[in-house]
Amino acid sequence: MRPLVFDNRFVRELPADPETGPQIRQVQGASYSRVNPTPVAAPHLIAHSAEVAAMLDWGEADIAEPAFAEVFGGNRLLEGMEPYAACYGGHQFGNWAGQLGDGRAITLGEAINARGERWELQLKGAGPTPYSRRADGRAVLRSSIREFVCSEAMHHLGVPTTRALCLVETGEQVVRDMFYDGNPQAEPGAVVCRVAPSFIRFGNFEILAARGDLDLLNRLIDFTIARDFPEIEGDAKARRARWFDEVCRRTAVMVSHWMRVGFVHGVMNTDNMSILGLTIDYGPYGWIDNFDTGWTPNTTDAAGRRYRFGHQPRIANWNLLQLANALFPAFGATEPLQAGMNTFIETYDFESRRMTAAKLGWDRLADADLPLVEELHSLMKRAEIDMTIFFRALSDLDLAAPDAAIFADAFYDEEKRAESAVELSAWLARYAVRSTQDGIPTEVRRQRMRAANPRYVMRNYLAQQAIDAAEQGDYAPVRELLDVMRKPYDDQPGRERYAARRPDWARQKAGCSMLSCSS
Ligand code: AMP
Ligand code: MG
């Protein structure tokens, strides 16, 4: 394998836990603990992302080497790697949870590619760390497939996200009680190598504020700005203010994209919020099939539905508020924090209007347009209309003679389709009038809408089908799913089935409509 150049600033510039190894402990006064991946029995490469490999200046020949699976299964280190697990805390489901940390993620190092870009390589499922609490540090194949394919799919959809280099099966079994109902099962284990410029989370700052470690809080803030936001300029005070503003702005952009493509994260705890505004920690996430703003994929969230689709912008706001609270002792003033919170609101409003306008093929979304949009959302919810299919089909609507027949595939329930037919036709007529006002040529409008409305999203049942095959030793469907998701805005002849609405069998099936945190 072509060697990587490492520049491990996180371990070099921030204080280390003096103790090494995976012994469970509270780690004070340090940002990380040195710990190596625990070797696995038989690492086997199942899939990789050619695009992410290229970001590391690697080609197919590097990936084909036996050493590749060994390194990314956790059995071998490359020269320059300095593995560690980060210390962070977080608010889980609205409550402060204390120290959490990388319980099964281990960063290998920060690679610098030929273009000078910094890419942190992190294994997920690499074995116990000081932060594993009562768990085993491992990950099962099903959740690893879900993280690997979905993070790449999100990237190709244009959603800010961490990336994934590869998926390695470990040759070991992992025991999980998937629905916490006293039925533990042995499942195949796997390791995903995630890649991002930084894996720092809101929780890395929160834990320091909670412990009153103002010294380290200041250091971590300055480190993060210097390493991950080098473009921010000004004196120390101004840089911090601009930095928090930028975190708020990016978080708003990320969530508005989630709403555009119908992605529901499922566990928006503050330890799962990236300081770079990237979608991170793919667990019990889900995709909207029938448009339902009240839907949460996470069974652990079923009672309060805190992380339901339509609530995500408000939760992002709440999470930023927790970050602001944590930063306050270091900032010593509320104004820059309040300004950032305002930036979140303004950016979310701006971006969600811009994206909604693009989805509908309009130049912009004015206040006067809001009732029409709200009526559509309410109709889609009541009539159980598939979000992705509906918006994609809408780009084909003939504005001169709108016909609801083009939406036939978007309905899950014939009765509801019949009941809503009159209302849908009335809405389409009004929509056609409004769309004509912008005077955009038909083909331009169509192209614009197709660029905002994907043909393919990684529906839960598609992931589950690929998982079922992989658990039987057939990895081709995982690779095919990844390949489909590389061009989600293109019609891909012969791959229509990947654009189909959720089949009836998947409606209430584990992994398709219900997911747990057990992974
Ligand atoms: P999550 O909600 O999946 O982001 O996880 C919350 C916390 O639990 C993080 O500190 C994780 O590192 C930790 N965690 C989750 N699963 C495991 C596992 N199998 N072994 C060790 N730690 C885990
Ligand atoms: Mg997490």
Side-chain angles (χ1 to χ4, degrees):
M1 285 158 75
R2 213 184 125 122
L4 296 175
V5 176
F6 286 98
D7 176 38
N8 302 322
R9 287 185 68 176
F10 194 92
V11 294
R12 197 167 69 232
E13 296 178 27
L14 292 168
D17 173 7
E19 199 180 323
T20 58
Q23 184 66 33
I24 306 293
R25 56 193 178 264
Q26 289 290 310
V27 175
Q28 313 268 356
S31 288
Y32 65 92
S33 307
R34 291 187 190 271
V35 58
N36 284 335
T38 302
V40 298
H44 169 71
L45 181 67
I46 292 177
H48 72 277
S49 160
E51 292 89 354
V52 178
M55 284 160 27
L56 299 167
D57 307 316
W58 276 335
E60 296 302 312
D62 299 295
I63 288 145
E65 283 186 39
F68 189 88
E70 281 179 47
V71 170
F72 295 106
N75 286 15
R76 202 167 132 174
L77 296 175
L78 293 176
E79 185 161 346
M81 286 178 169
E82 296 179 88
Y84 72 87
C87 179
Y88 55 80
H91 281 84
Q92 299 184 314
F93 295 92
N95 304 305
W96 175 244
Q99 177 180 297
L100 298 168
D102 287 331
R104 56 173 166 173
I106 294 181
T107 288
L108 298 173
E110 302 166 35
I112 310 293
N113 71 10
R115 280 185 288 176
E117 296 163 342
R118 178 178 305 270
W119 294 110
E120 182 172 335
L121 307 181
Q122 184 177 81
L123 301 185
K124 182 166 174 180
T129 79
Y131 310 98
S132 298
R133 296 178 291 160
R134 285 171 302 278
D136 58 6
R138 292 298 184 191
V140 292
L141 179 62
R142 66 180 151 80
S143 70
S144 304
I145 290 174
R146 285 169 52 81
E147 169 138 17
F148 171 71
V149 184
C150 194
S151 58
E152 286 302 285
M154 291 282 270
H155 167 75
H156 295 296
L157 283 162
V159 185
T161 179
T162 61
R163 305 291 301 272
L165 171 66
C166 59
L167 172 64
V168 172
E169 205 171 11
T170 60
E172 294 178 0
Q173 300 281 302
V174 174
V175 176
R176 289 287 181 272
D177 184 356
M178 195 182 346
F179 285 106
Y180 309 112
D181 59 0
N183 286 304
Q185 305 259 326
E187 300 184 46
V191 178
V192 171
C193 178
R194 320 196 272 197
V195 178
S198 164
F199 284 93
I200 295 176
R201 304 143 188 271
F202 291 7
N204 295 68
F205 303 91
E206 287 180 278
I207 187 74
L208 301 175
R211 287 171 169 167
D213 192 345
L214 191 55
D215 230 32
L216 188 47
L217 179 61
N218 274 302
R219 275 180 77 178
L220 183 65
I221 292 168
D222 292 338
F223 171 83
T224 303
I225 297 172
R227 190 191 66 171
D228 298 331
F229 297 80
E231 67 285 357
I232 296 180
E233 291 172 346
D235 62 35
K237 213 170 126 202
R239 284 173 80 206
R240 286 182 169 201
R242 285 181 195 142
W243 168 65
F244 183 67
D245 204 67
E246 179 64 8
V247 173
C248 293
R249 192 191 67 76
R250 290 191 194 188
T251 303
V253 170
M254 172 187 79
V255 176
S256 50
H257 277 290
W258 291 358
M259 304 308 287
R260 172 178 66 85
V261 299
F263 176 79
V264 193
H265 185 284
V267 214
M268 289 179 74
N269 294 334
T270 56
D271 52 305
N272 293 337
M273 296 292 291
S274 141
I275 203 72
L276 292 183
L278 305 174
T279 314
I280 190 174
D281 274 14
Y282 290 83
Y285 67 81
W287 291 83
I288 293 293
D289 294 308
N290 52 300
F291 186 81
D292 180 0
T293 50
W295 184 67
T296 177
N298 183 356
T299 51
T300 314
D301 189 34
R305 289 183 301 117
R306 178 180 174 84
Y307 298 139
R308 64 190 181 272
F309 180 49
H311 211 214
Q312 297 186 119
R314 259 191 286 171
I315 293 294
N317 190 338
W318 190 88
N319 288 345
L320 284 165
L321 194 59
Q322 306 317 308
L323 176 62
N325 282 336
L327 298 178
F328 173 70
F331 276 48
T334 54
E335 291 77 10
L337 298 167
Q338 190 54 56
M341 297 305 300
N342 292 342
T343 293
F344 174 83
I345 304 278
E346 286 159 18
T347 308
Y348 183 76
D349 184 64
F350 178 84
E351 290 295 332
S352 68
R353 280 184 191 234
R354 188 177 67 78
M355 291 181 201
T356 304
K359 286 182 84 66
L360 294 168
W362 300 342
D363 279 335
R364 56 188 288 269
L365 190 74
D367 285 347
D369 295 323
L370 292 176
L372 196 56
V373 173
E374 275 153 25
E375 278 165 42
L376 174 65
H377 287 168
S378 146
L379 174 62
M380 289 177 78
K381 184 167 181 175
R382 271 180 290 120
E384 290 185 16
I385 295 175
D386 187 89
M387 179 181 176
T388 305
I389 296 175
F390 178 85
F391 279 106
R392 187 76 178 184
L394 193 62
S395 65
D396 292 325
L397 190 74
D398 180 354
L399 295 181
D403 181 357
I406 60 170
F407 302 106
D409 285 347
F411 285 88
Y412 285 92
D413 184 321
E414 264 311 303
E415 228 166 82
K416 290 195 167 138
R417 184 166 83 95
E419 278 167 20
S420 62
V422 173
E423 206 184 332
L424 178 57
S425 295
W427 188 87
L428 289 171
R430 291 173 63 202
Y431 167 75
V433 170
R434 166 64 185 84
S435 300
T436 315
Q437 279 169 11
D438 280 357
I440 304 167
T442 304
E443 202 38 40
V444 174
R445 172 177 169 275
R446 190 156 175 270
Q447 287 311 322
R448 229 191 247 178
M449 289 176 75
R450 288 161 69 90
N453 296 308
R455 174 91 202 269
Y456 304 96
V457 293
M458 217 190 90
R459 293 177 190 268
N460 312 307
Y461 85 90
L462 293 174
Q464 191 56 42
Q465 286 176 326
I467 289 165
D468 290 342
E471 287 180 344
Q472 302 306 312
D474 177 10
Y475 306 123
V478 171
R479 296 181 195 132
E480 165 122 350
L481 184 60
L482 176 66
D483 201 48
V484 171
M485 296 305 156
R486 289 170 70 222
K487 293 195 162 65
Y489 297 98
D490 291 0
D491 290 327
Q492 300 177 37
R495 286 173 159 177
E496 289 73 17
R497 85 168 188 85
Y498 288 95
R501 66 172 182 261
R502 178 197 59 221
D504 267 348
W505 60 259
R507 201 176 176 101
Q508 301 294 342
K509 187 178 180 319
C512 297
S513 60
M514 299 176 291
L515 290 136
S516 78
C517 288
S518 164
S519 57

